[in-house]
Amino acid sequence: MAVKIGAMRSVEENGYLSDESDFYGDEVAKHELEEKASTFDVAEWWKCKIPTLMEIAEKNMKTDIVKESVKLYNPYEGRGEARQLSETVDDFLARLPPATTPFSSTIPWIFIANPYRKAPQRKDHDDYSRTGEGPPDERSEWGAFTVTGNRLLQELTQIRHTLEKKKPGKTKAAITREVNADKDRIVKEILDTAKNLHCTTGKWMLFCDEAEVNAVWSVVARATADNDLGIAAKVAPDDGQNRKPRLMCIYTKDFTDMKDVSRVLHKMKDLGLVNNREKPIYYKCDAYTYLELTSANPYNIKASLYSSKDILQAKTEKQLDSFFYKKKKKDEGDWRPLEWE
């Protein structure tokens, strides 16, 4: 008791516990505690720490507060074939289930937008979201792009016709090989024009069977509404052809932003929409869609820009960046869009 009373006097007189106090334990206990303190890794502890239920709840509450404070925007507002801000995602899915919603002139596609995308400030911007593709940037000049793009395609057609007249004995394959250099140049000009005029929206194209379309669309729609995927998504309604796969498009803002294009694809993989061991899916820019560059286009231009297989295999940002423009080995000064086999 004398030791404890002495220790208490030390607290009263000096305001702290003396080193002689057994409050800290005996010498062995103090040595063990000091050794633990000297080797304690704070960063590793935080890394491995399992959050408590209270911490999880607080984090979710903060996320909800941030989302509620954002002014929501819907480029498809007022359109019956799209989700409205006034309805929940569940209500939207129940109102327009793609498996049974018939195709019509008023419902050529079923749309949902990412409501957390910033609303455009310009009132006179080209609203190409009404033509069936991704919501445009407010700086987009789709009219000017379409004019320039078609002019470039006409130039490519004229080059081919000129070669055919000059070399009537040449085979079609030989003419195509001679035209390829001009084709690469013109494709680059088309993509550069799209970038310069802010016409950069594009989409990952996902096909699924009739029996799965409602379930897959539900995953895509919810992730889009929660700001987890891209800027918007759409799905084809029922056109009466039951055996035909349904197309879904998951839109991104900029086909030149490989980091974002890759992020959306990896999120699709996390959601179980893409499997890198199965048949790949492809990414197409809206610029090609507006120029009607389908897989059977007469210019022999690859209709898609990227493959999920190649993007998912990329290990570094440098590899990702190389997927948009790729240097020819024989001419380091010449560039062309990467074309997938």
Side-chain angles (χ1 to χ4, degrees), residues 16-266:
Y16 59 88
L17 295 176
S18 70
D19 292 338
E20 289 79 17
S21 171
D22 62 357
F23 178 83
Y24 297 103
D26 58 24
E27 289 300 320
V28 174
K30 286 194 285 185
H31 177 72
E32 290 178 350
L33 290 173
E34 288 172 354
E35 186 175 2
K36 286 183 178 180
S38 65
T39 59
F40 181 68
D41 189 335
V42 177
E44 185 66 21
W45 184 84
W46 277 109
K47 181 180 177 181
C48 300
K49 180 181 180 294
I50 299 175
T52 65
L53 292 177
M54 182 62 71
E55 288 171 333
I56 294 173
E58 288 179 356
K59 181 179 180 181
N60 290 337
M61 287 176 64
K62 289 178 181 178
T63 301
D64 291 339
I65 291 171
V66 170
K67 285 188 174 182
E68 289 175 4
S69 66
V70 174
K71 185 177 181 180
L72 303 182
Y73 165 64
N74 182 14
Y76 307 122
E77 197 69 16
R79 294 169 55 180
E81 75 275 31
R83 186 237 175 162
Q84 303 298 291
L85 293 178
S86 59
E87 64 183 341
T88 65
V89 176
D90 284 338
D91 289 342
F92 163 68
L93 294 172
R95 179 170 65 86
L96 293 169
T100 54
T101 300
F103 171 90
S104 68
S105 59
T106 56
I107 308 181
W109 294 95
I110 298 170
F111 294 92
I112 186 168
N114 180 341
Y116 298 98
R117 184 167 180 256
K118 185 180 178 181
Q121 299 299 313
R122 281 177 51 199
K123 301 300 182 182
D124 61 339
H125 76 290
D126 291 344
D127 187 9
Y128 270 65
S129 61
R130 295 190 174 277
T131 65
E133 294 305 328
D137 187 287
E138 68 172 326
R139 299 167 296 173
S140 299
E141 298 180 48
W142 280 104
F145 166 76
T146 304
V147 170
T148 302
N150 281 318
R151 178 184 59 75
L152 288 166
L153 292 176
Q154 289 171 6
E155 179 185 339
L156 185 58
T157 299
Q158 187 58 48
I159 290 170
R160 185 178 189 94
H161 288 169
T162 301
L163 279 172
E164 289 172 342
K165 288 181 180 180
K166 285 183 176 180
K167 303 177 180 182
K170 286 278 188 178
T171 63
K172 183 177 180 181
I175 293 293
T176 297
R177 283 194 296 272
E178 289 197 41
V179 172
N180 276 344
D182 289 294
K183 182 195 73 173
D184 293 340
R185 172 184 59 80
I186 284 176
V187 167
K188 180 186 180 301
E189 286 189 43
I190 288 173
L191 295 176
D192 284 343
T193 300
K195 183 177 180 180
N196 292 337
L197 295 177
H198 306 285
C199 301
T200 56
T201 51
K203 62 267 187 181
W204 282 109
M205 299 178 292
L206 181 68
F207 291 89
C208 66
D209 296 333
E210 177 82 18
E212 301 174 331
V213 67
N214 279 358
V216 175
W217 176 240
S218 175
V219 174
V220 170
R222 293 179 193 282
T224 302
D226 287 341
N227 196 25
D228 288 331
L229 282 178
I231 59 175
K234 72 178 181 182
V235 61
D238 180 18
D239 63 358
Q241 301 182 35
N242 295 333
R243 295 185 179 182
K244 183 179 179 181
R246 295 293 188 87
L247 172 62
M248 291 181 200
C249 295
I250 294 86
Y251 288 93
T252 75
K253 181 180 179 180
D254 187 349
F255 64 80
T256 72
D257 185 349
M258 295 307 305
K259 189 174 181 179
D260 186 55
V261 169
S262 175
R263 178 194 65 79
V264 171
L265 177 63
H266 277 83

